[in-house]
Amino acid sequence: MSAASAVARPRLDPASFPSMGPGQLRPGRDNDAIDGLVPQAVITARETAHVVATIEEARAKKLAVVPSGGGTLLHVGAVPRAYDIRLSMTAIGNIVEENPEDMTVTCQAGVSLSRLQRSLAKQGQRLAIDAAREDRASIGGIVAANATGGLRHGFGLPRDLVLGATAIDGCGREIVAGGRVVKNVAGYDLVRLFAGSWGGLAILTELTLRTHPLPAAAATLVFEFVSASELDAARSRLAGAQLSLSAIDFTVDTTEAMPLWILVVRIEGTEEEVGWQGDAVCALVGRQPADAAEEWESPAHVDDGHGTSVRVAAAPQDIVGVVRDVCAKWKQSAASQGGQAAIRIAGHLGAGIARFHLAGAEAGEADTASAALITATAVGGLVRGRVIERAPAQLKALYDVWGPPPASIGLMRAIKRRFDPDDVLSPGRYVGGL
Amino acid sequence: MQDNSPRSFAERPVVAPATTQDALQAAPHLATAPPAGSDRRVVDAIREIVGPRGIVDGASARKVYECDGYTLEKSVPRLVVLPATTEETSRVVSVLAGAGIPFVPRGAGTGVSGGCLPLQSAVMIGTSRLRRIRSIDVEARTAEVEAGVVNLEVSRAVDAHGLYYAPDPSSQSACSIGGNVAENSGGPHTLKYGVTVNHVLALEVVLPDGRVIWLDREYDAPGYDLVGIFTGSEGTLGLVTAARVRLMRKPESVTTLLAVFPGVAQASRAVSAIIAAGIIPAALEMMDALVIEAVEAAYHFGFPAGAGAVLLIELDGIAAGLDALAARVHDCCTREGASEVKRAAGEEERALLWKSRKRAFGAMGRLAPAYCTQDGVVPRSRLPEIVAKIAEVASRYHLRIANLMHAGDGNIHPLVLYDEDVPGEVERVLAAGNEILTACIELGGSITGEHGIGIEKMALMPKSFTAPTLAAMEDIRTAFNPRGLCNPGKILPSSRTCVEVRRPRPRGGG
């Protein structure tokens, strides 16, 4: 039991939610916990009014609300200052309007990415976003986290694809930001403020997103290298080429005795474009692919729901070197401490992102190995950013899991105070204690 | 109208100059404050910081800064300061903040919504001397450039490396990066590549209290997307002094098509057909008969006589597949009634086609003494409806309205032609513009796609957003600009710092 949960919290009163039906409000259970904190209640909102009612109750009683979609990223964030209500948004999950001619879709926040994709596919379209566990991950959660997969290389981040958003902020205000058109500069772009704010300013209820045509043809090419420098040479040649690739990901599994450095290139377009680009990629890389497939799943989703995950950012030209250095450092320290666990590493070469995942192990051993991984990935030198995405709570409490607060943290706090004056939305979970 | 002006229309419409005197009579709050005579100490302190070259205080010199491309309202700034470095900018803002004097940032003055109009006797801070390209990182494809650097200069500076800066407003040979950030500028090629906000990684800004701060989202930096909220904030949250921008690799191949239609209805259906076919051109522009007439009269590009509308369609990417794509676009156009689809034979022809588009605004002077540019957006599939609405409004108000549009984005630019000497015509122009923008809202669109709210469209904000949404925007302004000293009286009509801006009476008007 952690110290925080021992502190007496104000109690939530179920009678404050007369409009909610049976099953919408239940006591929190162990598997609702975040960093060991079990919420008093889990509320399943079925309409926007339930979100507003939850926030009003939270403000009145000074309770902390953590919104959740599919729950696939709930582990990311600093140890909450408090956690009283988990507000599940998955029941607000309808697709409101598909506008294939406009290449936009409007949907509620709780819809899962895979359901949205299936629906869009019937119109020959898709959302150019890939995520881990797409059958569970909600679109609201993906946007709130600005969570990316390999397709960010070709299509940008989720925040670049969101045209409009409806959200309930920490004051209970319903804010209708942006619109349904692809170009819009009317007023401040609140959509961008909410995208990537991790539910700390407002809870997204509805989104309008830009869609893309489903490619007529596609190929995923897998290349294997025996060394980091070979992988980096291939990365460099691809980066300098006039190609239009959808993803350039990599992975390396150090559980293997002779780890292979694997490059995964995603090519999409017309038959002709895919064929030509495939040949061009092979020529640049200097070999034939070890494997090729039509499907796509980013190898970067290495987090298996347990253990420790750390995300590192560097300049694209530095990322492979950074990964090699971290591996060397980690091995040295883990070996010196007798650790046996191995890490899986994967990421996005074009964006300079790598995720290190240490699978779950025995408790004591895991803590030592996790601490070694955290030490090995510290920001400095070529490492420009580091987020401890998953780790044992006691370790998280020791580090700034988002890294040191940015220079602009004062402005962020000023914004937080205005959108969530009572600090009811995911308090303490974001960078700098936001 | 200067046909050879490097500033094309979009950013510099020449609207009916009601005289300054008329404007002042109608809008006394715009009256020029005495040139800081009462603030002698402040002026001295600022002069000390920027030196004599950084101060514009003579009455006639200041008059140059009385408006941007939105000329219906004018106000001569009490003082213009042109700092040469970020540090100078910061110190100037500190002095002003300390004295409680409002200030307004200004880039190249190519804006078209009055965003840099000095209200409340604001001091103007121009970025025209912040002209350094600080660094270029070819491998990472980024550049750090100061606010006053001209948009096109960035692309020129990296051209040899096969790179370019993608956002290309029509005024790109004059407008500045800082202004682009303030307005979140677009351009013809934003259809495929996005607007300014998609290309900015970090911003060096001077906050309204004088502090210098970097807003940074490079390397997936955690925290709220302050770069995203600052971009497009029209100079109301602070003053940009430098930006780190993303550079793009030039596409391997580009091809440009010109499709000729009997009318805008057919052309806008072809736009829908192209988008619905899953094709995302690099640019997809429309010009209607009136624009074509003006362009032909001015430049003789050889557009077929009597064409009702043309689409200018640019496709880019890898060479393989571009021919097939062009053929599909050709089919879409023919199916929707194009009488002719030409493909530019080479770079020269391509450049000529773009010249016709980018100079279209300048050519409008052939048709009328003045015109007013509107900027609205509709969902792309509603283009035929808004086009019909514009025609209906034109006929009801007895006005000629030419249509130039970033059709692929659903971004319309109706150009309302008029003659200020005709009694009552300016009022009809403004009313017609209002109706068109209201129709955009009703069709699910926006009152501005790239020109901004400025002072021009403040009155339409409550039609576009709910009261809680406007309150949330107010919160953003307060978080950055708590005393309201930075660019007061813009964007939000509810602002406590906002003064009522009245339209000047047109000359000879009732």
Side-chain angles (χ1 to χ4, degrees), chain A residues 37-56:
Chain A
L37 291 173
V38 178
Q40 298 177 40
V42 174
I43 292 174
T44 303
R46 296 201 189 286
E47 50 188 88
T48 302
H50 298 153
V51 179
V52 175
T54 303
I55 287 176
E56 281 172 357

Side-chain angles (χ1 to χ4, degrees), chain A residues 102-103 152 159-160 173 176 181-186 188-189 192 213 239 241-242 277 315 384 402 418 430, chain B residues 141 198 217 219-220 222-223 229 236 250 275 278 318 377 379-381 406 411 446 448 450 465 469 473 475:
Chain A
D102 295 330
M103 309 284 289
R152 65 181 283 160
R159 69 175 175 224
D160 294 315
R173 295 185 292 195
V176 189
V181 286
V182 296
K183 212 167 167 191
N184 189 356
V185 295
Y188 301 125
D189 194 348
R192 285 185 174 270
Q242 284 171 316
Q277 293 212 88
R384 309 299 292 267
W402 297 101
R418 301 212 145 249
Y430 206 10
Chain B
R141 287 189 216 157
N198 304 107
R217 60 179 179 186
Y219 304 111
D220 282 12
I229 203 86
T236 61
K250 283 195 246 177
I275 300 288
I318 54 167
V377 192
R380 306 181 250 229
S381 61
H406 305 307
N411 189 182
S446 167
T448 172
E450 53 188 10
F465 296 103
T469 308
M473 290 187 189
D475 283 340

Side-chain angles (χ1 to χ4, degrees), chain A residues 100-104 125 148 152 157 159-160 169 171 173-198 200-201 210-213 235-236 238-244 270 272-274 276-277 311 313-317 351-353 384-387 402-404 406-416 418-419 430-431 434, chain B residues 137 139-141 183-184 186-187 190-191 195 197-198 207 211 213-217 219-226 228-229 231-234 236-237 249-252 272 275-276 278-280 318 320-322 324-325 328 375 377-382 406 408-411 444-453 461 465-466 468-469 471-480 491-492:
Chain A
E101 272 192 64
D102 295 330
M103 309 284 289
T104 63
Q125 303 200 344
T148 58
R152 65 181 283 160
L157 304 165
R159 69 175 175 224
D160 294 315
D169 77 353
C171 306
R173 295 185 292 195
E174 184 179 63
I175 297 168
V176 189
R180 295 188 177 194
V181 286
V182 296
K183 212 167 167 191
N184 189 356
V185 295
Y188 301 125
D189 194 348
L190 299 170
V191 175
R192 285 185 174 270
L193 186 70
F194 297 148
S197 67
W198 287 87
L201 296 174
R210 177 198 288 260
T211 61
H212 281 83
R235 178 209 60 78
S236 168
L238 290 178
Q242 284 171 316
L243 297 172
S244 163
T270 61
E272 202 178 359
E273 284 169 334
V274 172
W276 187 89
Q277 293 212 88
R311 195 180 75 213
Q317 63 267 33
I353 301 290
R384 309 299 292 267
R386 191 269 306 271
V387 179
W402 297 101
S408 54
I409 189 70
L411 287 169
M412 293 180 191
R413 291 203 178 107
I415 291 170
K416 170 83 172 171
R418 301 212 145 249
F419 285 79
Y430 206 10
V431 63
L434 287 175
Chain B
D137 185 337
E139 195 164 16
R141 287 189 216 157
E183 300 295 321
N184 192 14
T190 60
L191 173 58
V195 292
V197 74
N198 304 107
L207 294 177
R211 277 180 299 156
I213 195 169
W214 273 95
L215 311 178
D216 193 345
R217 60 179 179 186
Y219 304 111
D220 282 12
Y224 307 142
D225 183 11
L226 300 185
I229 203 86
T231 305
S233 64
E234 306 190 32
T236 61
L237 303 182
R249 180 160 292 287
K250 283 195 246 177
E252 185 191 40
S272 286
I275 300 288
I279 300 165
I280 304 176
I318 54 167
L322 214 53
L325 207 57
R328 285 173 64 202
D375 169 41
V377 192
V378 293
R380 306 181 250 229
S381 61
R382 315 300 291 270
H406 305 307
D409 289 316
N411 189 182
S446 167
I447 54 174
T448 172
E450 53 188 10
H451 292 177
I453 300 295
M461 286 293 277
F465 296 103
T466 63
T469 308
M473 290 187 189
E474 195 73 61
D475 283 340
I476 290 297
R477 172 148 61 191
T478 310
F480 280 84
I491 303 184
L492 298 171

Side-chain angles (χ1 to χ4, degrees), chain B residues 411-445:
Chain B
N411 189 182
I412 59 165
H413 287 321
L415 313 178
V416 189
L417 311 182
Y418 67 102
D419 182 344
E420 70 203 12
D421 289 334
V422 175
E425 191 140 293
V426 169
E427 279 92 340
R428 283 188 286 124
V429 168
L430 294 172
N434 246 324
E435 264 200 50
I436 292 168
L437 292 179
T438 304
C440 288
I441 298 173
E442 285 162 6
L443 290 170

Side-chain angles (χ1 to χ4, degrees), chain A residues 226-312:
Chain A
V226 295
S227 72
S229 52
E230 278 186 351
L231 170 67
D232 196 42
R235 178 209 60 78
S236 168
R237 283 194 294 271
L238 290 178
Q242 284 171 316
L243 297 172
S244 163
L245 304 175
S246 294
I248 312 177
D249 283 1
F250 82 101
T251 182
V252 50
D253 187 348
T254 64
T255 54
E256 301 291 327
M258 289 286 290
L260 282 176
W261 297 73
I262 296 166
L263 169 70
V264 185
V265 179
R266 178 65 172 170
I267 308 169
E268 297 173 332
T270 61
E271 290 284 348
E272 202 178 359
E273 284 169 334
V274 172
W276 187 89
Q277 293 212 88
D279 292 345
V281 167
C282 292
L284 287 163
V285 170
R287 64 183 66 190
Q288 287 303 305
D291 193 13
E294 203 179 319
E295 295 73 38
W296 167 251
E297 196 192 342
S298 173
H301 303 131
V302 286
D303 185 330
D304 59 2
H306 305 278
T308 296
S309 270
V310 175
R311 195 180 75 213
V312 160

